[in-house]
Amino acid sequence: ELAHASVDMALSVLNKIEDDNTADISVDASVIKNTEDETDMFEDTLGSYLVKLSGMDLSDHDSQIVSKMLHVINDMERLGDHALSLSKAAQEISEKKMSFTPDAASELKNLANAIDEIMEITFNAYLNNDPQIAGDVEPLEQVIDSLKEALRVSHIMRLQRGECTIEAGFVLNDILTDLERVSDHCSNVAGLVLEMAHSEMDIHKYLKKIKKDPDSKFSELYESYSQKYTLER
């Protein structure tokens, strides 16, 4: 919940600063930093506990659960890191009075909306231990990857036309990288939910198989998310 909240707040701060690059975001940035510190503390405490637990006389099933939870808490801690990085990008925009072009701002909000949705799906899947919901994450993660690349291409074209500055482009690139990595960590968490529900399943083989099947739920959801988050031209 802390990891989720920190990313939500970071997205809100980005929206605020895109709408008004003179907005005061110091309080929000401080809250994000404190939340990230708290997330680190929990990750350290839980990690130490799980490592000790792994040394106990556990069943094979419980050993697998402990191992997968160690991966989950690492992914959640990394979400807090990316939220902090996004907050710092917003602060840089504010301090240097930068601004994105209307097209860039619109594209970034579209990507941020997709990130908000993948976070919601991922945490619902994890908190409810629901593999059905977890299966919705990967197709959206693939759409987010495509969106990120499309935004980078759009930025290069605007740069070539002289519509934006190189400095703003560096900040935009950092934001895109952080958003993509948030999506990647969501994919990791969702994959672990699927693995814990189906202990014998090889998640990588499973995902590879469904991505190639045109009649799978993956293909249907990928098309749906692609239409929902298509870039306006």
Side-chain angles (χ1 to χ4, degrees):
E1 289 174 350
L2 282 172
H4 191 183
S6 62
V7 176
D8 276 348
M9 185 170 291
L11 293 175
S12 176
V13 167
L14 275 178
N15 279 331
K16 183 188 294 187
I17 209 68
E18 285 167 30
D19 292 337
D20 179 7
N21 63 8
T22 65
D24 183 3
I25 58 170
S26 57
V27 173
D28 294 324
S30 178
V31 171
I32 291 170
K33 177 64 173 69
N34 290 337
T35 304
E36 194 269 339
D37 288 342
E38 196 171 3
T39 305
D40 283 350
M41 181 272 293
F42 275 117
E43 195 260 350
D44 287 342
T45 304
L46 287 165
S48 296
Y49 174 75
L50 288 169
V51 168
K52 289 179 181 178
L53 195 60
S54 67
M56 307 298 283
D57 186 18
L58 303 176
S59 67
D60 288 344
H61 175 72
D62 285 348
S63 292
Q64 288 177 354
I65 295 292
V66 169
S67 175
K68 286 166 185 173
M69 288 183 74
L70 279 166
H71 287 289
V72 166
I73 63 171
N74 178 258
D75 280 304
M76 291 182 178
E77 187 273 333
R78 294 293 294 137
L79 288 173
D81 291 343
H82 292 302
L84 183 61
S85 181
L86 289 167
S87 170
K88 289 178 178 178
Q91 288 175 286
E92 184 176 357
I93 293 169
S94 176
E95 290 166 2
K96 296 181 179 178
K97 298 297 183 288
M98 295 180 188
S99 61
F100 297 132
T101 65
D103 283 347
S106 176
E107 290 169 0
L108 195 54
K109 284 184 179 179
N110 184 55
L111 178 57
N113 287 338
I115 293 295
D116 185 58
E117 181 164 4
I118 201 171
M119 290 280 295
E120 286 291 332
I121 297 170
T122 299
F123 277 83
N124 281 335
Y126 182 75
L127 294 174
N128 294 296
N129 195 27
D130 190 328
Q132 292 294 323
I133 299 175
D136 294 353
V137 171
E138 191 64 21
L140 181 51
E141 192 271 338
Q142 294 290 302
V143 168
I144 287 169
D145 280 352
S146 298
L147 275 175
K148 179 211 66 176
E149 289 305 319
L151 263 65
R152 281 185 171 153
V153 170
S154 293
H155 165 65
I156 290 170
M157 292 174 67
R158 284 190 292 269
L159 198 59
Q160 290 173 341
R161 294 194 297 264
E163 296 174 0
C164 63
T165 65
I166 293 176
E167 188 174 34
F170 284 139
V171 177
L172 178 62
N173 187 67
D174 289 343
I175 292 171
L176 294 180
T177 298
D178 279 309
L179 292 178
E180 179 196 21
R181 288 178 181 168
V182 166
S183 174
D184 290 341
H185 289 298
C186 286
S187 176
N188 291 344
V189 172
L192 288 165
V193 171
L194 288 169
E195 285 187 352
M196 285 190 280
H198 308 285
S199 58
E200 301 302 318
M201 183 176 69
D202 183 320
I203 190 64
H204 298 293
K205 288 183 180 178
Y206 169 75
L207 291 174
K208 188 175 181 179
K209 178 182 177 183
I210 63 172
K211 287 176 186 178
K212 289 183 177 180
D213 183 358
D215 297 321
S216 70
K217 179 187 177 186
F218 179 95
S219 297
E220 180 182 337
L221 285 172
Y222 180 85
E223 183 61 30
S224 175
Y225 287 133
S226 294
Q227 292 180 9
K228 183 175 183 179
Y229 293 110
T230 186
L231 295 180
E232 296 294 334
R233 297 297 183 190

